[in-house]
Amino acid sequence: MRISVSYSSTARVMFRFFQQFNYTDVVFFIDANDEFYGPMGDVIEVTMKNEMREFLYTTKFQDFNGSKDGDEVYRKLLINAHQISRVHIILGNSTIVRKFMRIATEFGYTDGNTVFAALQLFDDPAWGNFTWNMNDDFDSYAFKAYQTLAIFSLVESVSNALDVFQHQVIEKSKKNYNYTYPIGASQALSPVVTHVYDAFVLYANLVSDLITQGKDYRDGEAVGSLAANYSFYSPLNGNVQLDSNADRVMSFVLKTMSSSTAGKYQVMSTLLCICLIAESTLITNELVNLRKSLWKKNGTKKEQKRNKKGTKKKPKRNNKEKREQQREQQRNEKEKKGNTEGNEKEQTKEQNE
């Protein structure tokens, strides 16, 4: 039972995104040294093996050390990735993402033919500020480069009750525990804080329902069984739904920026969970426009023609097996030819003798 966001739910959102846009060849750049992004990369790979195995054969995971590696490492990663993919997912903080985008610009990879995406679940100092404007030498190029960068984030809850709760948490933390939040009162608290509140609301609801049913609320198995596919109302976050594993169903959005948004990332409302978490295959006009804004040319001309026809691309694994069969056939033919030539040489030698 998980009442807050989980690694696995975040991984599934990315898979739904790949399916929705028919992105098959994907490269993940993972800062293995980061306490959040490192484990996130591991869970994505494990979840892919268990639930989305069709992606496993065309997806590459490239680890690096964000605290030690220099620009040469990033250059090598991008060059190798660009040879096999036009969809690059960067699992690292804002500083790491900016390095990748700067070097990608040097190589001409931010011309709109490559999709870049990063993960920032919510605003938090630990992840940095995902913005093109950092008042450095790269700013003049970053504005265009970041238009090819999409960001996965959680849906932000907005309510009067949430504003009051936020103010009380910040105030009482300082007064009662001498703790000052590293954010201003005008900024939103981490959703994890409100999820802790939701945990108490969930437990209270479960206990109440178990008592009504004449069951023992101290029975952990009974609590867990009731929590599966359970829903309740949170005064802070509204309706909350748990899945069959009693994990919270999280709503995600995809943020993009363009010249029309004054250089600020904005939520594409059509991606509000309906296409990413649910099994829906709904594609609206806005979603199609988002596809165009993220990727002007989706791969080769052959792939573009296939996408226009609406046909499904065959798994790369079949192509790989076919190539392996061809190589095996060539090796057999070469060996056969070598044996034939060897026999002919032996016969010629015997005749000469």
Side-chain angles (χ1 to χ4, degrees):
M1 184 188 303
R2 288 173 288 194
I3 194 60
S4 191
V5 63
S6 65
Y7 286 121
S8 56
S9 63
T10 306
R12 294 187 187 102
V13 164
M14 292 186 176
F15 301 156
R16 295 287 177 260
F17 172 69
F18 301 152
Q19 287 180 322
Q20 201 67 49
F21 289 93
N22 195 29
Y23 294 157
T24 54
D25 301 270
V26 179
V27 174
F28 282 89
F29 300 120
I30 305 167
D31 184 356
N33 192 57
D34 189 274
E35 294 180 353
F36 170 74
Y37 293 107
M40 182 75 248
D42 294 337
V43 172
I44 288 175
E45 187 169 5
V46 171
T47 306
M48 187 176 290
K49 289 179 180 178
N50 295 334
E51 301 178 15
M52 294 288 180
R53 204 166 184 83
E54 64 269 24
F55 285 116
L56 191 61
Y57 302 98
T58 57
T59 301
K60 300 295 182 183
F61 296 90
Q62 301 293 326
D63 290 357
F64 63 94
N65 189 327
S67 63
K68 294 182 179 180
D69 293 338
D71 286 0
E72 287 305 314
V73 173
Y74 297 109
R75 288 190 176 93
K76 184 177 180 180
L77 289 171
L78 279 167
I79 291 173
N80 293 338
H82 202 70
Q83 293 175 352
I84 60 174
S85 171
R86 292 297 183 271
V87 182
H88 303 333
I89 312 299
I90 308 170
L91 296 182
N93 61 35
S94 62
T95 301
I96 297 297
V97 171
R98 192 171 180 83
K99 287 182 180 179
F100 271 101
M101 297 308 294
R102 174 173 55 79
I103 295 172
T105 301
E106 294 177 5
F107 292 143
Y109 296 164
T110 57
D111 59 354
N113 293 326
T114 304
V115 175
F116 292 91
L119 176 63
Q120 182 194 26
L121 294 179
F122 47 83
D123 291 334
D124 190 281
W127 295 331
N129 188 11
F130 286 74
T131 178
W132 66 272
N133 187 8
M134 295 297 290
N135 296 318
D136 59 20
D137 295 338
F138 181 54
D139 277 358
S140 58
Y141 304 97
F143 181 77
K144 180 180 178 181
Y146 272 57
Q147 293 180 43
T148 65
L149 174 70
I151 297 178
F152 292 98
S153 298
L154 291 172
V155 171
E156 296 179 9
S157 298
V158 179
S159 68
N160 292 333
L162 190 60
D163 291 339
V164 173
F165 176 80
Q166 171 186 295
H167 179 74
Q168 290 177 343
V169 168
I170 294 175
E171 186 180 64
K172 290 186 178 181
S173 296
K174 176 64 176 177
K175 180 180 179 180
N176 298 340
Y177 305 101
N178 195 31
Y179 176 77
T180 302
Y181 271 87
I183 59 175
S186 61
Q187 293 177 285
L189 288 174
S190 161
V192 176
V193 177
T194 67
H195 293 167
V196 172
Y197 174 89
D198 289 345
F200 285 96
V201 177
L202 168 61
Y203 184 67
N205 278 271
L206 291 172
V207 169
S208 177
D209 286 351
L210 286 170
I211 292 175
T212 301
Q213 297 174 14
K215 298 180 179 180
D216 186 358
Y217 62 84
R218 293 167 297 183
D219 182 350
E221 185 175 345
V223 174
S225 178
L226 180 60
N229 297 312
Y230 192 80
S231 62
F232 66 97
Y233 179 79
S234 164
L236 299 182
N237 295 305
N239 294 320
V240 177
Q241 177 68 48
L242 305 185
D243 64 16
S244 58
N245 296 318
D247 290 339
R248 185 178 190 139
V249 177
M250 302 299 302
S251 296
F252 287 76
V253 293
L254 195 67
K255 297 179 179 179
T256 60
M257 64 158 277
S258 66
S259 56
S260 62
T261 61
K264 295 182 179 180
Y265 275 92
Q266 293 186 356
V267 172
M268 301 302 294
S269 58
T270 44
L271 290 183
L272 184 63
C273 182
I274 59 174
C275 300
L276 299 181
I277 294 179
E279 295 297 332
S280 170
T281 57
L282 173 66
I283 298 183
T284 64
N285 289 333
E286 290 184 40
L287 191 55
V288 173
N289 291 334
L290 176 59
R291 179 200 295 270
K292 293 178 180 178
S293 67
L294 285 178
W295 198 346
K296 294 178 182 178
K297 298 178 181 178
N298 188 357
T300 64
K301 292 183 178 180
K302 185 177 180 180
E303 289 172 333
Q304 294 176 46
K305 187 176 181 180
R306 184 192 300 116
N307 292 336
K308 287 180 180 179
K309 289 182 178 180
T311 57
K312 188 176 181 181
K313 183 180 178 181
K314 293 182 180 179
K316 269 278 185 85
R317 179 176 50 171
N318 295 338
N319 294 334
K320 184 178 180 181
E321 291 175 353
K322 185 177 180 180
R323 289 195 299 270
E324 289 177 352
Q325 291 175 358
Q326 291 174 345
R327 293 193 190 101
E328 183 66 24
Q329 185 177 356
Q330 291 173 356
R331 283 195 294 268
N332 293 334
E333 291 176 353
K334 188 175 181 180
E335 290 176 1
K336 186 177 179 180
K337 184 178 179 181
N339 292 334
T340 302
E341 291 176 350
N343 293 333
E344 291 176 351
K345 290 180 179 179
E346 285 292 331
Q347 293 175 3
T348 302
K349 184 177 180 181
E350 291 175 357
Q351 290 175 359
N352 291 336
E353 291 176 353

